[in-house]
Amino acid sequence: MSKIIWKGIIKSERDFPAANLPKNAKKLDSEEDMKKMQIKALPFMIPSFLICFIGMFTKTFLAGEKVINEWFIFVGVIIGFLLIIIHKLLHAIAFPKNATVFIGIMPRSFTAVALSSSPVKRNRFIFLSILPMILGVIPLVIFCFSNNNLKELNGILFGTSIMGMISVYPDIYNIFNVLKVVPKNATIQNNKNETYYFEENDNSKK
């Protein structure tokens, strides 16, 4: 497993870990400011919302009656919000075992982050980026198959699933940018708040 270090409060992107990059590294065209990135990534919330509400609509339609207590959705949302550190830990443990990952909180952007300057293969980067979605998928699946009469539990499960599903929207935005330009066998590496990719045919360093 990767080495995980609690960083605490991270004041700005300037405090992100730095890396030594190969000379053939190319910079990925993506938003570097966390706040601006979160805003630009907002459309990537839409598929997650649709999946959750299709699940609720289908369950309600098949039951022929209301299957949730709406007030308990807020309980689920709170639970989902509290799971954000677990979300970041899931990112961290998916890195290679020789990687070092820093977890911290950025009050300026009202977000938690998992940061590493360790290189990872493109497909592994995609996997570690999307892995925390299980925090939404699991409660959504349980919700879909739970007893229709357990309206309070169903409300909690639905609220938790929404938070778990939409919390990965910045990660899906990053995956989208990677899939557009990064070759399948390339390696991805972060340097501060910039993302680079390179193919390992040139191991010389800057």
Side-chain angles (χ1 to χ4, degrees):
M1 191 175 75
S2 58
K3 182 180 180 182
I4 302 172
I5 298 174
W6 172 249
K7 189 75 173 176
I9 300 297
I10 299 174
K11 294 181 179 179
S12 75
E13 290 84 354
R14 292 189 299 272
D15 297 326
F16 288 8
N20 292 320
L21 296 165
K23 289 181 179 179
N24 64 330
K26 298 176 182 178
K27 185 178 176 183
L28 188 68
D29 183 19
S30 60
E31 182 57 61
E32 296 164 14
D33 181 271
M34 288 293 293
K35 275 187 175 180
K36 292 180 181 178
M37 184 273 285
Q38 289 171 324
I39 294 171
K40 188 174 287 188
L42 283 174
F44 291 87
M45 276 188 179
I46 296 172
S48 297
F49 267 122
L50 287 176
I51 291 170
C52 290
F53 278 96
I54 288 172
M56 183 178 69
F57 175 81
T58 303
K59 186 177 180 69
T60 303
F61 176 78
L62 293 175
E65 61 178 350
K66 187 172 72 172
V67 296
I68 62 171
N69 183 320
E70 293 87 350
W71 290 105
F72 281 81
I73 294 176
F74 296 103
V75 177
V77 168
I78 293 170
I79 292 172
F81 180 78
L82 294 176
L83 288 175
I84 193 64
I85 295 299
I86 305 300
H87 175 126
K88 298 305 172 183
L89 283 171
L90 288 171
H91 282 315
I93 63 175
F95 273 87
K97 64 180 180 180
N98 60 340
T100 299
V101 185
F102 300 93
I103 293 179
I105 297 171
M106 292 188 72
R108 187 173 71 89
S109 303
F110 195 62
T111 188
V113 291
L115 307 168
S116 178
S117 59
S118 299
V120 292
K121 287 292 188 178
R122 189 196 77 156
N123 288 347
R124 185 158 192 157
F125 176 85
I126 293 170
F127 169 72
L128 68 87
S129 297
I130 203 69
L131 180 60
M133 186 177 275
I134 65 172
L135 297 176
V137 171
I138 291 173
L140 182 60
V141 170
I142 297 172
F143 164 76
C144 289
F145 291 98
S146 66
N147 191 304
N148 295 332
N149 294 322
L150 301 176
K151 293 179 172 55
E152 291 77 15
L153 176 62
N154 289 337
I156 292 172
L157 289 169
F158 185 68
T160 305
S161 68
I162 288 176
M163 285 299 294
M165 294 286 282
I166 69 171
S167 65
V168 297
Y169 80 94
D171 303 304
I172 296 175
Y173 166 78
N174 289 332
I175 291 171
F176 175 75
N177 287 326
V178 164
L179 289 175
K180 282 195 300 182
V181 297
V182 178
K184 183 180 293 186
N185 296 320
T187 296
I188 295 174
Q189 190 167 11
N190 290 325
N191 180 40
K192 293 289 187 178
N193 58 328
E194 299 173 343
T195 302
Y196 293 81
Y197 65 96
F198 55 90
E199 296 186 78
E200 297 190 48
N201 56 1
D202 182 353
N203 294 320
S204 58
K205 297 288 182 179
K206 288 182 176 179

